[in-house]
Amino acid sequence: MNTAGHPPATPRRGLELIPFRGLRYDPDRVGSLAAVTSPPYDVVVRPDGLHHLESADPHNIVRLILPQADTPSARNEQAADTLRRWLAEGVLTMDPKPGLYVYEQSDGDGLLQRGLIGALRVSDPAENVVLPHEDVMPHVVADRAALMRATRANLEPLLLTYRGNGSSAAAVAVERAAERPPLLSTTTEDGFSHRLWSITDPATLAGVQEDLARYQALIADGHHRWATYRCLRAEHPSPSAWDYGLVLLVDTARYPLRVRAIHRLLHGLPVADALAALAGRFRVRHLDKPLGEALAALADAAEEGNAFLLAGDGAFHLVDRPDPDLLARTVPAGHPAAWRTLDTTVLHATLLEHIWGIPEDSPAHVAYIHDTAATVEKAEQDGGTAVLLHPVREEVVRDLARQGVTLPRKSTSFGPKPASGLVLRALDL
């Protein structure tokens, strides 16, 4: 990790997005396209959400991205067997021509997002083409790599953003494609509508590729999958299909993303014990309010400094105004001020490590959950502590990433995230 905050070097070559023949569900072989989709693997709230998706349709994509068996090797082999069976049965079919895919998401509140799904050249960090903003957990990368080796497929796209000018060849190609009838259209139970088009015209593809070669991208969602792509590329002699990985690339100059927080569920730490350990170190206030009002109070407190909302005992507790001497002793030096004052930095370095003595990279101790209400509900069910955070501003994320500085893991949730199951990429078909 670059802790000095020096700007990275200028990229030698930019984004290289190539077409591929997508694997897609045959709508005549499944109950509905909505019933076979899923949020990304790390957003599915297990086990409730997993069971719900599995029961939605026997061909739901979670049977590939989150296979269930007694051992990791059995899970991965099960996913590979399932994928082979679905291909043989025609549940999944390959598009006749390689192309880039225009993907649109919209909701009832006026949000509209469009981007390009393609196979992106996997680059090394030194090339400064794809910028991470979070660290990764090695065991998660190992898990995803084992699944991709077994299935020999990119099962879901990660989300990347770049800052175009909104009127370049790539932007024009996206908008023109969206004027045609889509390959598929569906609305998922979260209220989001999804549409997909393909771009197969050689001249249009060449223009898009030439345009994107001028840019670098920020990983908005999918740091572990990008690290997995890099791991697998290193295992296979180049050139090979493993030199590329499936991504959704969004021009945020035209379609800005939303940034939300990722919350923590601390197993085995009752709220009463968590609060007792904070006495004299943070200000703690009991909030007799519903979740929405408690989150509003968290947002107000976050304007003045580090703030967290604890839950799990049927109430909410606003934790803010940390002891400055405590932060000076526990937050690592040698980082930019913007990094040292992040809520996730203080959470990991001061609260988890120093006060509560909880290893942040242990699934037995910490779960990372995107849904706020689900985090609170699970804490109350399990007798643990939910730590709710206020989101980091997007400009802070981009500024640190451009300096080569990564945020603590699971600091942000950019969205909307692409639905899994709409288009897959096979590496040997």
Side-chain angles (χ1 to χ4, degrees), residues 24 76 115 158-159 186 208 267 290 298 313 395 401:
R24 296 190 294 112
N76 296 329
L158 54 86
L159 176 61
T186 190
V208 170
H267 304 297
L298 173 63
D313 61 352
E395 57 266 29

Side-chain angles (χ1 to χ4, degrees), residues 166-192:
S167 61
S168 60
V172 170
V174 166
E175 301 309 316
R176 286 182 176 171
E179 295 173 355
R180 298 187 274 110
L183 294 174
L184 65 83
S185 178
T186 190
T187 300
T188 46
E189 64 180 10
D190 60 3
F192 271 87

Side-chain angles (χ1 to χ4, degrees), residues 20 25 34 64 67 78 154 170 175 195 216 232-233 317 338 397:
F20 70 103
Y25 281 101
L64 300 182
Q78 177 177 292
N154 298 151
E175 301 309 316
R195 298 199 293 172
Q216 62 182 183
L232 294 173
R233 185 201 60 173
H317 310 272
V397 177

Side-chain angles (χ1 to χ4, degrees), residues 153-168:
N154 298 151
L155 301 172
E156 48 185 347
L158 54 86
L159 176 61
L160 301 181
T161 71
Y162 74 103
R163 299 289 291 178
N165 61 19
S167 61
S168 60

